[in-house]
Amino acid sequence: MNPKIRIVNEEILSDNWYVLKKITYMSEAKDGSWKSQARESYDRGNGATILLYNREQHTVILTRQFRIPTYLNGNETGLLIEACAGLLDKESAEDSIRREAEEETGYRVTKVQKICEAYMSPGSVTEILHFFVAEYTPTMKVGEGGGVAEEQENIEVMEIPFQQALEMIKEGEIKDAKTMLLLQYAQINRLLDPVPSQQHILIAGPYRSGTGDDPHLIQRNIDFMNDIALKVYEAGHLPILGEWYALPLIEKAGSQRIGDEIFNRIFHPSSVRLLKYCDAVLRVGGPSQGADEMVKAALSMGKIVYRELGDIS
């Protein structure tokens, strides 16, 4: 907890739909003095949102529903176009957004990718929103969507071209912040670009992990990843291991042992550089912090991440 903040009192103002509190607290100023302040805080729990996109059709799934706060603040119809979203309801963010996607849109997605989390209105609302993206196909449609009738949801499902959705932001037809963020993320990271038929795939797996730096065990890991690389090549793609690139450079630079200053300066950073020129990452093998970091970096760049060799077409 922040030692410069002391909660003095919490008063519940409303506990009808969600919880509205008046928080009185003391904060320490730069001169060391303490000052009392009071703010209202609205706790509605945390939530999740997702953009469903179809790379082949170049479309996205959005929803439209009536939102009374927008109606009270200038939205003439009260209808708002949004990405699918909902509260977590004691579930993990991933489980929650899969459920919400099916309830609201009718699409049952299994592989979801988390891109970030954010406070959406930190001046008054406690909510953290978890942001996801996922590919959908027509075969994933298992219902009509529209929300849950018992919760009085009346949601229109919209499948629209991605470029049209971007234009709707410019024209003011889409004004929902989470939806704008997701659409712009998809644009920046080129999520809807066609997957190249021949991909440049970086193989990410354990090198030193679990070996105690035993050279025989390290070679075993390399042999395993080389076997995977050969299978990727035979599938029609161009594989690469960071080790193929880094190890000769490390030796040439004068490294004396695994994990010395020269090794650490080149080994992992060289893989990050390679990643920029690859279409995808294939995560293979057992535990590896370095490989997991490569996957995280790939996701942040909007790269494809494969977890199984069979996922590569």
Side-chain angles (χ1 to χ4, degrees), residues 49 80-83 119-121 129 131 169 174-184:
T49 183
L80 201 67
I81 298 173
E82 307 175 47
Y119 294 99
M120 296 302 289
S121 187
L129 193 61
F131 288 77
I169 295 176
I174 292 178
K175 292 185 176 181
D176 176 64
K178 65 180 181 292
T179 307
M180 296 166 72
L181 189 153
L182 284 167
L183 289 170
Q184 289 171 349

Side-chain angles (χ1 to χ4, degrees), residues 181-206:
L181 189 153
L182 284 167
L183 289 170
Q184 289 171 349
Y185 174 89
Q187 180 184 33
I188 291 169
N189 292 278
R190 305 172 65 177
L191 293 189
L192 282 82
D193 285 4
V195 176
S197 58
Q198 185 180 74
Q199 299 175 58
H200 196 186
I201 300 176
L202 180 65
I203 313 298

Side-chain angles (χ1 to χ4, degrees), residues 19-21 39-44 120-127:
V19 180
L20 177 63
K21 292 181 179 180
R39 295 290 187 273
E40 291 182 3
S41 175
Y42 192 50
D43 186 352
R44 59 190 303 271
M120 296 302 289
S121 187
S124 57
V125 182
T126 62
E127 180 187 32

Side-chain angles (χ1 to χ4, degrees), residues 72-85:
L72 298 175
N73 192 29
N75 183 1
E76 292 184 358
T77 66
L79 297 173
L80 201 67
I81 298 173
E82 307 175 47
C84 168

Side-chain angles (χ1 to χ4, degrees), residues 4 25 34 51 63 115 127 137 152 157 161 173 190 214 226 269 296-297 299:
K4 296 187 177 182
Y25 64 97
W34 288 82
L51 179 68
T63 66
I115 61 170
E127 180 187 32
T137 65
Q152 297 181 317
V157 183
E173 296 177 72
R190 305 172 65 177
D214 183 323
N226 281 336
K296 185 176 181 180
L299 292 173

Side-chain angles (χ1 to χ4, degrees), residues 110-277:
T110 54
K111 294 182 179 180
V112 298
Q113 174 189 334
K114 185 174 179 177
I115 61 170
C116 67
E117 55 187 61
Y119 294 99
M120 296 302 289
S121 187
S124 57
V125 182
T126 62
E127 180 187 32
I128 294 175
L129 193 61
H130 301 261
F131 288 77
F132 294 86
V133 294
E135 287 195 67
Y136 77 92
T137 65
T139 60
M140 295 178 183
K141 190 173 178 62
V142 296
E144 296 303 315
V148 180
E150 297 80 50
E151 298 178 6
Q152 297 181 317
E153 293 181 322
N154 183 17
I155 299 170
E156 177 188 352
V157 183
M158 306 172 67
E159 183 176 38
I160 60 178
F162 178 55
Q163 289 300 323
Q164 180 182 339
L166 295 176
E167 288 298 319
M168 292 169 75
I169 295 176
K170 295 179 182 178
E171 298 298 324
E173 296 177 72
I174 292 178
K175 292 185 176 181
D176 176 64
K178 65 180 181 292
T179 307
M180 296 166 72
L181 189 153
L182 284 167
L183 289 170
Q184 289 171 349
Y185 174 89
Q187 180 184 33
I188 291 169
N189 292 278
R190 305 172 65 177
L191 293 189
L192 282 82
D193 285 4
V195 176
S197 58
Q198 185 180 74
Q199 299 175 58
H200 196 186
I201 300 176
L202 180 65
I203 313 298
Y207 173 68
R208 299 170 62 190
S209 300
T211 68
D213 287 345
D214 183 323
H216 299 290
L217 296 180
I218 289 176
Q219 187 60 49
R220 181 196 63 185
N221 284 341
I222 292 179
D223 290 343
F224 168 73
M225 288 191 287
N226 281 336
D227 289 340
I228 296 293
L230 178 59
K231 293 176 181 178
V232 169
Y233 178 80
E234 290 174 341
H237 303 289
L238 184 63
I240 189 168
L241 269 64
E243 289 78 4
W244 295 349
Y245 183 77
L247 294 178
L249 293 176
I250 289 169
E251 182 180 359
K252 188 69 175 178
S255 174
Q256 298 299 309
R257 60 179 176 81
I258 293 174
D260 65 14
E261 186 277 332
I262 295 174
F263 183 97
N264 291 333
R265 177 166 54 86
I266 295 176
F267 187 75
H268 184 67
S270 67
S271 295
V272 175
R273 292 187 191 184
L274 280 174
L275 181 58
K276 296 179 182 179
Y277 300 97

